[in-house]
Amino acid sequence: MSRTAGRVGWIDLARVAALAGMVVFHTARDLEIFALVPAGLTMTGGWALFARIVAGSFLFLSGVSLVLAHGAALRPGAWLRRVLRIVAAAALVSLATYAFDPRHFVYFGILQSIAVASVIGLAVLRLPAWGLALSGAAVWALHLTLGRAVFDSVWLAWTGLSRTVRPSLDFLPLVPWLAPFLFGMALARAVDVRALPALPLPVALTWISRHSLLVYLVHQPVLLGLIWAATRLG
């Protein structure tokens, strides 16, 4: 069977676009680390908005993929293997960033957020599209109303509802970042994306989409190495 059989070209293309956005943003962030662009450039203005759009797109697509993979019938083994891979990758990122910067290591970044959202998504998998959309809206409303005013514990910072937050290189708490995941699930419930016109993609793009977690893990070491080498040569 072809490795691309059963894949949805539109989802693959969207995932590759999100990965490209991630690489662009992290290139700017790494240039900031090497003091090649002004400090704080990526933390404000258009760059900060761009980072949120990219992160939200990953969570949104993860929600879509959950319904596509298990909406008709849950495959527990496949779901568990995927979540365990994400958890292992998240742990690796935490360890690597702790070695790099213990004061700002990633303790609840995008991979941790996707892993927890995948567990919650499994619990609401059978909700109709409107129920999933309302759930996403409720998470967003919780963020806008109570926000970080529910708890006062650094151990609950990952919920997004605690006023005490440990600084981190990448922090995507459950509130509000569960919302785009649920909206992605809602879209996949409302629209049969498999019925959309086929979108044949080059094999390279399909490979990148299929191995998006690997791309996520290796792109930063590659970028940092390239920028370091360029500064040495320069």
Side-chain angles (χ1 to χ4, degrees):
M1 180 182 294
S2 170
R3 298 296 296 273
T4 60
R7 300 193 66 84
V8 179
W10 296 101
I11 302 301
D12 283 334
L13 181 61
R15 190 175 290 116
V16 171
L19 287 168
M22 173 191 69
V23 171
V24 169
F25 177 79
H26 283 160
T27 299
R29 172 68 65 82
D30 294 344
L31 290 173
E32 196 177 328
I33 291 173
F34 281 89
L36 297 174
V37 297
L41 173 71
T42 59
M43 303 304 293
T44 58
W47 279 108
L49 176 61
F50 180 63
R52 285 164 173 76
I53 292 172
V54 170
S57 67
F58 276 113
L59 283 150
F60 183 88
L61 290 170
S62 294
V64 171
S65 297
L66 180 65
V67 174
L68 285 179
H70 306 283
L74 175 64
R75 297 176 294 138
W79 176 87
L80 183 59
R81 284 192 298 271
R82 178 179 179 276
V83 171
L84 288 178
R85 282 198 298 268
I86 295 172
V87 169
L92 182 62
V93 170
S94 294
L95 289 172
T97 53
Y98 186 83
F100 175 72
D101 186 354
R103 294 180 57 192
H104 301 90
F105 80 100
V106 176
Y107 59 92
F108 203 85
I110 191 166
L111 292 180
Q112 288 88 345
S113 191
I114 289 175
V116 176
S118 296
V119 175
I120 295 174
L122 189 65
V124 298
L125 185 59
R126 298 306 169 201
L127 285 180
W130 63 266
L132 291 164
L134 281 179
S135 299
V139 171
W140 190 252
L142 183 61
H143 168 66
L144 294 177
T145 53
L146 295 180
R148 295 179 178 176
V150 178
F151 307 115
D152 191 14
S153 169
V154 69
W155 298 105
L156 294 173
W158 63 273
T159 64
L161 300 174
S162 177
R163 62 177 59 89
T164 305
V165 178
R166 194 181 193 279
S168 175
L169 294 169
D170 182 31
F171 181 56
L172 277 81
L174 212 53
V175 175
W177 293 101
L178 177 61
F181 187 94
L182 293 170
F183 289 144
M185 291 183 67
L187 177 68
R189 277 288 181 204
V191 179
D192 183 5
V193 295
R194 295 188 187 278
L196 296 175
L199 179 66
L201 293 178
V203 173
L205 293 186
T206 302
W207 187 94
I208 291 171
S209 176
R210 193 171 68 245
H211 296 91
S212 56
L213 183 58
L214 175 63
V215 174
Y216 178 85
L217 290 175
V218 304
H219 84 283
Q220 269 290 56
V222 170
L223 285 175
L224 288 168
L226 288 174
I227 296 173
W228 177 85
T231 57
R232 291 299 179 182
L233 291 174

